[in-house]
Amino acid sequence: HQPYYAGKFPERSGLEPGSDKLGSGELETVEALVYGIQAADRALGALIEYFETVEEPTIIVFWGDHLPGLYVDDNRTIYSMLEYVPTVNTLEWDAQIMKRMHTTPFLVWNNYDAQIEVPESTGPSALGVHILNWAGVAKPLYFQWVEQSMDTMELYRTRLYIDDEGVPYKQPPEEDKEVVERYRNLVYDLVYGEGLT
């Protein structure tokens, strides 16, 4: 996890990143990220190897909710230096860039040869619905509502709304504001209210 910097890990990845847009210091940041990815991959491999030998039906879902933070200083990130984003200031990003920076691949694995239908893309709350469905577990009220809302939205968070077609917006479109308001009320109740949901 961030921050990534030269010498973060006691070993090197064995790969030497290169770029004509990054200096040696920035490449050391990338090197730390590469080593971290390798370590996460080894840990995931060990976890799967263990559960391959377990008889209890198991589903493993491996994912991240955003791309790693690769800050160089207050005015630059690896992403801005590589022109993957136009600026380090996220307030200036449009909805497409916000979606790009919050889109990550995910892995679903099981040890009982279930033919799991995995969506091409999904939001974190909707991923919870899919996991409960794959496991055949009853959904609490919150996830029942999320499942219903999946016909309208894939993701809602501050400054990023993605509709059910995968189209990103900085703010929810007018026709979707009712479902967003219900979502806010449910989350408010879970966090600050009486937990009725």
Side-chain angles (χ1 to χ4, degrees), residues 68-104:
L70 298 174
Y71 293 91
V72 174
D73 55 40
D74 290 343
N75 300 310
R76 298 175 301 153
T77 66
I78 300 295
Y79 303 109
S80 65
M81 293 178 75
L82 294 175
E83 300 173 358
Y84 190 70
V85 298
T87 175
V88 70
N89 185 353
T90 62
L91 295 173
E92 296 178 22
W93 292 355
D94 65 20
Q96 258 328 94
I97 293 168
M98 286 291 288
K99 180 181 178 182
R100 184 183 328 149
M101 291 300 290
H102 288 87
T103 299
T104 63

Side-chain angles (χ1 to χ4, degrees), residues 10-172:
E11 301 172 19
R12 296 188 65 79
S13 69
L15 303 173
E16 292 301 325
S19 169
D20 58 357
K21 295 184 178 181
L22 302 176
S24 59
E26 292 84 27
L27 289 172
E28 286 298 315
T29 297
V30 174
E31 158 62 26
L33 171 65
V34 170
Y35 182 88
I37 290 170
Q38 288 177 330
D41 183 63
R42 285 190 300 272
L44 176 62
L47 185 69
I48 288 174
E49 279 182 21
Y50 170 79
F51 279 103
E52 284 177 330
T53 66
V54 171
E55 289 188 21
E56 181 177 0
T58 303
I59 298 172
I60 293 175
V61 180
F62 189 77
W63 69 286
D65 60 341
H66 58 80
L67 295 179
L70 298 174
Y71 293 91
V72 174
D73 55 40
D74 290 343
N75 300 310
R76 298 175 301 153
T77 66
I78 300 295
Y79 303 109
S80 65
M81 293 178 75
L82 294 175
E83 300 173 358
Y84 190 70
V85 298
T87 175
V88 70
N89 185 353
T90 62
L91 295 173
E92 296 178 22
W93 292 355
D94 65 20
Q96 258 328 94
I97 293 168
M98 286 291 288
K99 180 181 178 182
R100 184 183 328 149
M101 291 300 290
H102 288 87
T103 299
T104 63
F106 63 99
L107 173 139
V108 178
W109 176 89
N110 71 83
N111 66 349
Y112 54 102
D113 295 326
Q115 299 303 307
I116 294 175
E117 189 174 324
V118 179
E120 187 174 315
S121 69
T122 188
S125 295
L127 185 57
V129 169
H130 293 298
I131 292 167
L132 294 170
N133 285 340
W134 297 330
V137 175
K139 290 180 281 302
L141 184 59
Y142 170 76
F143 283 107
Q144 291 175 35
W145 180 85
V146 169
E147 187 168 41
Q148 292 172 1
S149 74
M150 287 163 54
D151 290 338
T152 305
M153 70 176 188
E154 185 173 297
L155 175 77
Y156 170 69
R157 61 185 302 155
T158 305
R159 297 180 314 160
L160 179 60
Y161 177 86
I162 301 176
D163 71 13
D164 62 316
E165 299 292 323
V167 178
Y169 301 86
K170 283 191 102 168
Q171 297 295 323

